Amino acid sequence: MDTVMTTSPTGDEEIYDTLYDVRKEAEDIGNYVEGDPYAAMNARRAQAPVQRGFLRQLLDLPAYHRQAGALDLPGYTAFTFAACEQAFRDNANLSNAVYHLDGSPPKTLGILEMDNPEHFAYRQAVQSLFIRPKAQKWWRQNFIDALVEDLVKSLEGRDRAELNLQLFARVPVHTITRGVGLRGEDALVFRNALVGTNASRGGLQFRMESHATVHRMLMEQINKRRAEPGEDILSWLIAAQINPEGAELRPMNDEEIITFARLILLAGGGTTWRQLGIVFGALLANPDQLEAVKADRKLIDPAIEESLRWNPTNPLFSRIAVNDVELAGTLIPKGAFLDICLGAANRDPERWENPDVFNLHRPFQQHLGTGIGAHMCLGRFVAQAEMNVTINKLLDYFPNIRTDPDAPASYITGGLEQRGVSSLHVLLQ
Ligand code: HEM
């Protein structure tokens, strides 16, 4: 009887252990939070919709902010659904230019750090690659279905598996890196470098080397696709037309394509991996709901949505006030920083009954797990397709799948930005 899978069809076994450890990632970054922060977030939300102070200060956690330079500014935090929704939607006053407060050059994160009208011009140009029908057909046919089939099939004959590393970590990174034309070992070298561009470890030199690797590998692929376009994301971006200057439509230049591809890779890899662990972990912990999903696969999407409400992988995003703005009765002065605690908003009892409970049968109400407004997650239908196909395939191959009672128990861990499961040990047969 084996304990874990030792080979993978993607041929890149050992890199996962170091790259895909939620807790270690948070400890390295410096934002690790011991235990479940939701009780403290709920208690804060009950006090006032918007409060003075950064989220971590208000939760009595050690000082840290994802955005360098933020802690030098006055901080506020929004907690209720209404306040967080308003903050996400009010991009005119609450700007996404939070990512380069430290003076680093803008545009390394592309549309995520842009405001209108520039944001609209770029997002509009790429939107049609990410609409629901495109995710469910083009993305599935070209990248997702075959990959997931191979990965799940490779578990056949095993008694047990640790799904978080052996399956879930691989699906998004390979979907996206295949999408830009990279395969196998190259994909992980690329992902490693991509994570390195933002890493706290290794210092400036490491970040610069990582940037150079990402740039070089993407440039090689762009040159290939310019010579011979195919069914892939880069060929599609090469053909896209934009007009950010408000003038005639024009194709994107190499730097614009690289920036955009890098954002898709960065935003789409870790998030979907972590959320997949959270949703499947919730199903395993609630066997009645797992049985319901096995019997009716149409319940997979509601389970995914419920996981994004109940435990979104990123419960915190931020904005900077570019004007004085009133938010749920509190004045946020121009120049102040706003933490949007969407995790607390997603458990607002004004909007959901028993909000702390994972219940895929609850009537759907829009949550903030993938944001809302102009910057609402561009890749959410792709993420949904990846998660849906993976869960479906797992249940097809392993209808008796259940928690392994002899292995370490799974729990949700990480920081306030990147949360995911510690591990997910299952019995397959
Ligand atoms: C379950 C997985 C995912 C979650 C929870 C998630 C969450 C989010 C959230 C909350 C935002 C809004 C950020 C803000 O308002 O500042 C966002 C933006 C974005 N996401 Fe996702 N995401 C996921 C998967 C993906 C995937 C698979 C892709 C790409 C294929 C992607 C691409 C993007 C992009 C490009 C943006 C920036 C959009 C803009 O600024 O207009 N995401 N995501």
Side-chain angles (χ1 to χ4, degrees), residues 39-116:
M41 294 196 300
N42 287 344
R44 272 287 166 189
R45 189 195 51 239
Q47 286 174 29
V50 178
Q51 298 170 40
R52 179 73 205 264
F54 290 96
L55 178 61
R56 290 181 68 97
Q57 284 172 335
L58 295 170
L59 300 184
D60 290 326
L61 293 168
Y64 164 84
H65 207 289
R66 167 164 44 178
Q67 268 77 52
L71 295 177
D72 300 332
L73 300 172
Y76 291 77
T77 302
F79 286 98
T80 58
F81 184 87
C84 290
E85 182 187 17
Q86 186 190 332
F88 271 125
R89 290 191 186 280
D90 188 2
N91 244 173
N93 291 311
L94 295 167
S95 157
N96 269 49
V98 282
Y99 297 94
H100 42 90
L101 290 177
D102 59 348
S104 63
K107 303 215 176 114
T108 50
L109 285 171
I111 59 171
L112 185 58
E113 59 183 325
M114 290 177 187
D115 294 320
N116 277 334

Side-chain angles (χ1 to χ4, degrees), residues 26-325:
E27 285 170 348
D28 286 346
I29 293 171
N31 68 350
Y32 174 67
V33 175
E34 186 78 43
D36 183 345
Y38 276 90
M41 294 196 300
N42 287 344
R44 272 287 166 189
R45 189 195 51 239
Q47 286 174 29
V50 178
Q51 298 170 40
R52 179 73 205 264
F54 290 96
L55 178 61
R56 290 181 68 97
Q57 284 172 335
L58 295 170
L59 300 184
D60 290 326
L61 293 168
Y64 164 84
H65 207 289
R66 167 164 44 178
Q67 268 77 52
L71 295 177
D72 300 332
L73 300 172
Y76 291 77
T77 302
F79 286 98
T80 58
F81 184 87
C84 290
E85 182 187 17
Q86 186 190 332
F88 271 125
R89 290 191 186 280
D90 188 2
N91 244 173
N93 291 311
L94 295 167
S95 157
N96 269 49
V98 282
Y99 297 94
H100 42 90
L101 290 177
D102 59 348
S104 63
K107 303 215 176 114
T108 50
L109 285 171
I111 59 171
L112 185 58
E113 59 183 325
M114 290 177 187
D115 294 320
N116 277 334
E118 197 186 21
H119 175 263
F120 181 76
Y122 278 91
R123 179 152 173 153
Q124 193 189 32
V126 296
Q127 185 83 42
S128 60
L129 186 61
F130 295 94
I131 54 174
R132 193 197 296 265
K134 195 90 175 169
Q136 288 176 347
K137 201 156 178 223
W138 189 83
W139 282 82
R140 281 191 54 176
Q141 279 174 359
N142 286 308
F143 315 122
I144 302 172
D145 284 0
L147 170 72
V148 172
E149 175 82 40
D150 282 354
L151 287 170
V152 175
K153 201 172 164 45
S154 74
L155 298 171
E156 253 187 331
R158 314 265 159 187
D159 293 323
R160 21 171 63 92
E162 197 288 279
L163 293 179
N164 195 40
L165 278 189
Q166 291 177 340
L167 179 61
F168 297 162
R170 292 157 211 254
V171 173
V173 68
H174 285 278
T175 301
I176 305 283
T177 46
R178 276 179 187 215
V180 297
L182 294 161
R183 292 286 187 276
E185 182 69 15
D186 270 359
L188 257 285
V189 170
F190 186 78
R191 167 82 184 161
N192 205 354
L194 201 64
V195 172
T197 61
N198 271 359
S200 51
R201 280 176 290 171
L204 186 63
Q205 177 70 17
F206 177 64
R207 285 203 293 279
M208 283 169 64
E209 282 166 18
S210 301
H211 263 295
T213 305
V214 167
H215 200 279
R216 175 182 53 75
M217 291 179 86
L218 277 177
M219 206 53 238
E220 280 168 15
Q221 294 300 322
I222 290 172
N223 287 335
K224 267 197 207 165
R225 311 292 150 187
R226 282 202 193 282
E228 201 177 328
E231 287 295 326
D232 59 85
I233 297 170
L234 290 176
S235 299
W236 200 91
L237 292 175
I238 288 166
Q241 297 276 316
I242 53 167
N243 68 341
E245 299 85 14
E248 300 252 305
L249 284 166
R250 62 165 175 84
M252 285 196 250
N253 60 37
D254 288 344
E255 286 309 315
E256 287 168 326
I257 293 173
I258 287 176
T259 299
F260 197 77
R262 199 172 40 207
L263 174 63
I264 298 174
L265 288 149
L266 214 48
T271 45
T272 312
W273 156 54
R274 291 187 213 96
Q275 199 67 44
L276 198 40
I278 292 170
V279 61
F280 205 73
L283 289 174
L284 288 169
N286 292 278
D288 53 327
Q289 297 187 51
L290 180 60
E291 287 310 311
V293 167
K294 282 182 194 169
D296 179 2
R297 304 298 174 84
K298 286 198 293 300
L299 293 177
I300 295 177
D301 280 347
I304 293 168
E305 290 297 339
E306 174 65 350
S307 80
L308 284 161
R309 179 200 69 79
W310 171 71
N311 248 300
T313 175
N314 286 355
L316 170 64
F317 277 87
S318 302
R319 298 288 191 261
I320 184 158
V322 288
N323 298 302
D324 285 355
V325 56

